[in-house]
Amino acid sequence: MKTTDQVALDDWYAIATASELTSRPVRTRLLGQDIEYMLSEGGSPLVREILADDRRGPALPVKERYGCLFTSLGAPKKDIVHIEEAEEDDRRFVPCGWVTMRASGLRVVENFLDMAHFPFVHTDILGSEPHTEVPGYQSEIRRDVDEVWATNCTFFQPRIAATEDKGDFVHLTYRVPSPFVVMLYRVCPTSPNRLDAIALFIQPMEEGLCRAQPVMYLVDQTSTHKSLLNFEQVIFLQDRIIVENQRPLLLPLEPRAEIPTRADSSSIAYRRWLKEKGIRFGTTAGGH
Ligand SMILES: [Fe+2]
């Protein structure tokens, strides 16, 4: 059943890789609603709801950005996130493919923000023992843009990126521009005055089911496409195990529902921001 959560309905969601659209309709799910996407006879993207007696609803809004097809079941108040790095010609564009997870999309965002799990989940890639401490960083809700940011994040990583084979402190900035989109900016190891940009677009299918696609804009002229893809996919499949095993499956927004630690300050800001928005889909409050 389609959610009644208007906050969730009034947003844009990536639901497909744009280059994979054909005239054959593909069925998927968004916010509890069956939808289909395809190329229309005129060759433009068409997304519609699949209604009870197999009728089709009117065409939903569509936009093509960052290699993905975005749609909305409501009336979005904000545009899709603007990623400046996507406009720079010398960057490698690496869409990493969809991964489906038995988890709330909000849990996936929170896990993406969490550095404390690096040594234990991404052992010898994004973290390693004994370097388990998360150095202090700042997190804030930016009112002017209505986004959550975590800045001045550093962490000791044994590999950092596909180009690197020795460890160093990586410098990271996290950005949450909408409840189901999260971004990471990483000081580029081969070009320290620039930032690699990685976005994770989440398609919330049901409260406890989603799929997500990482899309990377990298300053990297040496790695093969395959090695960049492998690097990200290995990490993401490790994350899938973690988010699928979190309990409760849905994200609690009540303060003190889960005991926070200092490393969780971005997670606290994210939950507070979600609660202020009044979003329910994918939270323990329920989106029906
Ligand atoms: Fe992770």
Side-chain angles (χ1 to χ4, degrees), residues 39-98:
L39 286 180
S40 67
E41 280 176 28
S44 51
L46 174 66
V47 183
R48 294 181 294 190
E49 292 187 10
I50 300 173
L51 305 174
D53 45 5
D54 216 37
R55 283 177 302 124
R56 298 296 182 266
L60 293 169
V62 289
K63 286 191 186 192
E64 217 180 296
R65 296 269 168 89
Y66 315 123
C68 294
L69 183 69
F70 286 78
T71 194
S72 177
L73 298 178
K77 311 262 189 289
K78 262 172 80 173
D79 197 4
I80 298 162
V81 57
H82 181 235
I83 303 174
E84 272 176 46
E85 291 76 9
E87 292 154 12
E88 297 174 4
D89 294 339
D90 65 337
R91 285 185 181 258
R92 303 280 294 277
F93 170 57
V94 187
C96 299
W98 294 96

Side-chain angles (χ1 to χ4, degrees), residues 9-284:
L9 290 169
D10 290 342
D11 205 348
W12 289 104
Y13 298 97
I15 55 149
T17 302
S19 62
E20 289 172 358
L21 261 70
T22 68
S23 57
R24 187 181 61 85
V26 176
R27 199 180 177 111
T28 185
R29 216 164 160 79
L30 179 62
L31 299 171
Q33 174 67 49
D34 284 324
I35 60 171
E36 69 176 17
Y37 60 82
M38 60 192 290
L39 286 180
S40 67
E41 280 176 28
S44 51
L46 174 66
V47 183
R48 294 181 294 190
E49 292 187 10
I50 300 173
L51 305 174
D53 45 5
D54 216 37
R55 283 177 302 124
R56 298 296 182 266
L60 293 169
V62 289
K63 286 191 186 192
E64 217 180 296
R65 296 269 168 89
Y66 315 123
C68 294
L69 183 69
F70 286 78
T71 194
S72 177
L73 298 178
K77 311 262 189 289
K78 262 172 80 173
D79 197 4
I80 298 162
V81 57
H82 181 235
I83 303 174
E84 272 176 46
E85 291 76 9
E87 292 154 12
E88 297 174 4
D89 294 339
D90 65 337
R91 285 185 181 258
R92 303 280 294 277
F93 170 57
V94 187
C96 299
W98 294 96
V99 176
T100 302
M101 289 165 280
R102 283 251 153 238
S104 162
L106 304 173
R107 283 280 197 198
V108 174
V109 171
E110 193 177 63
N111 176 68
F112 192 91
L113 294 172
D114 172 46
M115 287 176 282
H117 78 278
F118 287 171
F120 310 106
V121 177
H122 310 295
T123 311
D124 298 333
I125 306 173
L126 299 184
S128 65
E129 293 188 85
H131 309 281
T132 55
E133 197 191 328
V134 180
Y137 62 93
Q138 284 78 50
S139 37
E140 58 178 336
I141 300 170
R142 294 195 179 166
R143 302 288 170 187
D144 54 338
V145 286
D146 191 25
E147 297 184 351
V148 176
W149 283 72
T151 53
N152 287 321
C153 307
T154 55
F155 202 81
F156 186 87
Q157 295 193 336
R159 265 205 75 196
I160 302 188
T163 49
E164 305 304 298
D165 56 10
K166 60 176 178 25
D168 203 349
F169 279 91
V170 69
H171 299 270
L172 307 170
T173 301
Y174 290 92
R175 173 188 184 190
V176 189
S178 65
F180 292 91
V181 176
V182 59
M183 289 192 65
L184 169 66
Y185 297 96
R186 169 184 66 192
V187 172
C188 176
T190 51
S191 185
N193 57 339
R194 301 182 74 191
L195 301 175
D196 284 331
I198 300 167
L200 184 65
F201 297 121
I202 296 163
Q203 174 186 345
M205 302 167 89
E206 291 163 22
E207 298 226 53
L209 179 70
C210 67
R211 57 179 203 153
Q213 166 148 239
V215 167
M216 309 194 287
Y217 291 92
L218 307 179
V219 182
D220 179 342
Q221 305 306 333
T222 52
S223 302
T224 63
H225 188 82
K226 190 169 179 296
S227 73
L228 292 171
L229 208 56
N230 284 352
F231 186 81
E232 192 60 24
Q233 284 177 344
V234 164
I235 289 167
F236 210 63
L237 292 174
Q238 292 171 333
D239 281 317
R240 181 168 74 172
I241 297 168
I242 298 308
V243 295
E244 289 192 338
N245 283 290
Q246 281 178 330
R247 296 292 178 274
L249 195 64
L250 305 182
L251 187 70
L253 297 186
E254 294 313 313
R256 288 182 294 280
E258 288 171 323
I259 298 157
T261 65
R262 188 168 59 88
D264 284 338
S265 98
S266 57
S267 149
I268 292 166
Y270 176 58
R271 292 188 189 194
R272 184 181 303 143
W273 181 67
L274 292 175
K275 194 165 168 59
E276 284 178 11
K277 287 187 173 305
I279 197 163
R280 291 180 286 113
F281 192 87
T283 76
T284 49

